[in-house]
Amino acid sequence: MLLILGVIVVLASVLGGYVLSHGELAALWQPFELIIICGAAFGAFLISNPFKVIKQILQSIPKMIMGSPFNRVVYMDLLSLMYDLFDKARRSGVMAIEADVDDPLNSEIFNRYPAIVRMDKLRDFITDYLRIVSTGNMAPHELEGLMDMELETRMQELEKPADAVNRVADALPGFGIVAAVLGIVITMKSLGGPPDELGVHVAAALVGTFLGILAAYGFVGPASHAMHNLAAQEIKAYECVKVSILATMTGLAPQLAIEFGRKALNSDVRPSFQELNDYVRSK
């Protein structure tokens, strides 16, 4: 919802200040300038990005509006899931969770946490590394290196949509100048006309520059930063899983292992020790 609030504040501040300075809103309505700027920016966006990145950007829009799905409740589910898996492995042997990690969709443990099951990438990250742990052939530091490599790759994938949107933001002022130059060309053609007509053409040209800069710094640029934040919040969930698995590989009890994961979380979404302990026991 902060995205919608931010858009309202930007528009209210810019247009409100303009109107209070005795400006006329009708003068800012230049649809042909919008066609030039938005059309050129969208075309450049299509040229520079594969379909996969475009699809990821579209999928990010609901998250920017509603907020990141990685909240305190999801993290408690995640840590509770890790506890259940670790506890089962500790009591019955690591091979006891083999069926759970091989078929998480039909696992009794995983199905207690439907929010985690629906997150395909995170679910696969958990099952892949627990499967490796169950083989017993990899040292903790070797597994950590492999995890770090995957996390780096995943972060690059998650940041590609944000980088693509940021490039559009960088280009928008330039397209605003293109629209302004074309408006000046039209103005030059009308030099012999009445002064009122010249004023309208010059105003339209200036509005093109204004729209390009406003779109870049008021909307598209901030949207790219919001997408970077979404990527960082998702990666934090992977880091939580990573440190929990590495902790249990060193022989720590399940409760202590998930405490490592809890400490890896940002303070605004991190449950307290007692809160998590009560939640785990309730499951």
Side-chain angles (χ1 to χ4, degrees):
M1 298 305 291
L2 288 177
L3 182 143
I4 297 175
L5 178 61
V7 169
I8 293 173
V9 170
V10 170
L11 290 175
S13 300
V14 173
L15 299 181
Y18 173 73
V19 171
L20 291 174
S21 299
H22 308 292
E24 296 182 6
L25 287 177
L28 299 180
W29 176 244
Q30 302 294 339
F32 300 118
E33 300 285 324
L34 284 172
I35 291 173
I36 294 171
I37 296 168
C38 297
F42 183 65
F45 170 74
L46 293 178
I47 292 171
S48 60
N49 296 291
F51 179 75
K52 178 182 177 181
V53 172
I54 296 172
K55 181 180 177 181
Q56 287 176 310
I57 292 172
L58 294 176
Q59 292 173 340
S60 297
I61 294 175
K63 295 179 183 178
M64 287 192 290
I65 295 174
M66 303 304 298
S68 172
F70 293 94
N71 52 36
R72 181 186 295 262
V73 175
V74 166
Y75 281 127
M76 287 200 295
D77 272 353
L78 178 61
L79 290 168
S80 185
L81 167 64
M82 302 305 296
Y83 175 86
D84 288 347
L85 291 169
F86 296 161
D87 187 55
K88 183 177 180 179
R90 189 178 183 87
R91 287 187 289 102
S92 305
V94 71
M95 297 303 294
I97 63 171
E98 186 174 4
D100 296 293
V101 299
D102 284 342
D103 190 11
L105 297 181
N106 293 315
S107 164
E108 179 185 350
I109 293 178
F110 275 90
N111 283 323
R112 295 175 195 163
Y113 310 96
I116 306 300
V117 173
R118 288 194 295 269
M119 298 177 179
D120 297 345
K121 299 293 184 182
L122 179 60
R123 185 192 68 221
D124 291 344
F125 185 82
I126 296 170
T127 56
D128 285 349
Y129 286 102
L130 287 179
R131 191 176 294 113
I132 292 174
V133 170
S134 68
T135 65
N137 294 326
M138 185 172 285
H141 70 275
E142 294 174 327
L143 188 64
E144 183 178 10
L146 183 60
M147 285 179 162
D148 287 340
M149 183 173 61
E150 182 170 351
L151 286 179
E152 182 179 355
T153 301
R154 181 61 180 157
M155 189 62 179
Q156 291 173 354
E157 290 179 346
L158 291 173
E159 287 186 330
K160 282 182 180 179
D163 292 338
V165 172
N166 191 57
R167 287 193 294 271
V168 174
D170 291 340
L172 278 169
F175 288 125
I177 294 172
V178 170
V181 169
L182 294 177
I184 295 298
V185 170
I186 295 173
T187 303
M188 298 301 290
K189 187 180 69 171
S190 306
L191 280 179
D196 290 348
E197 184 179 343
L198 288 176
V200 170
H201 290 315
V202 172
L206 292 175
V207 168
T209 304
F210 158 74
L211 291 175
I213 295 173
L214 177 64
Y217 296 108
F219 304 111
V220 182
S224 73
H225 288 294
M227 294 171 71
H228 274 293
N229 290 334
L230 288 174
Q233 290 167 9
E234 180 170 341
I235 285 297
K236 185 58 67 175
Y238 292 85
E239 292 175 349
C240 174
V241 172
K242 167 192 163 183
V243 297
S244 297
I245 292 177
L246 292 175
T248 199
M249 286 186 70
T250 63
L252 291 177
Q255 188 63 52
L256 288 177
I258 64 169
E259 179 64 13
F260 275 67
R262 187 183 73 86
K263 289 295 187 181
L265 300 176
N266 294 324
S267 59
D268 58 325
V269 293
R270 182 194 304 157
S272 68
F273 177 87
Q274 191 59 47
E275 185 179 10
L276 178 60
N277 186 58
D278 293 343
Y279 189 78
V280 167
R281 292 182 182 278
S282 72
K283 288 291 183 175

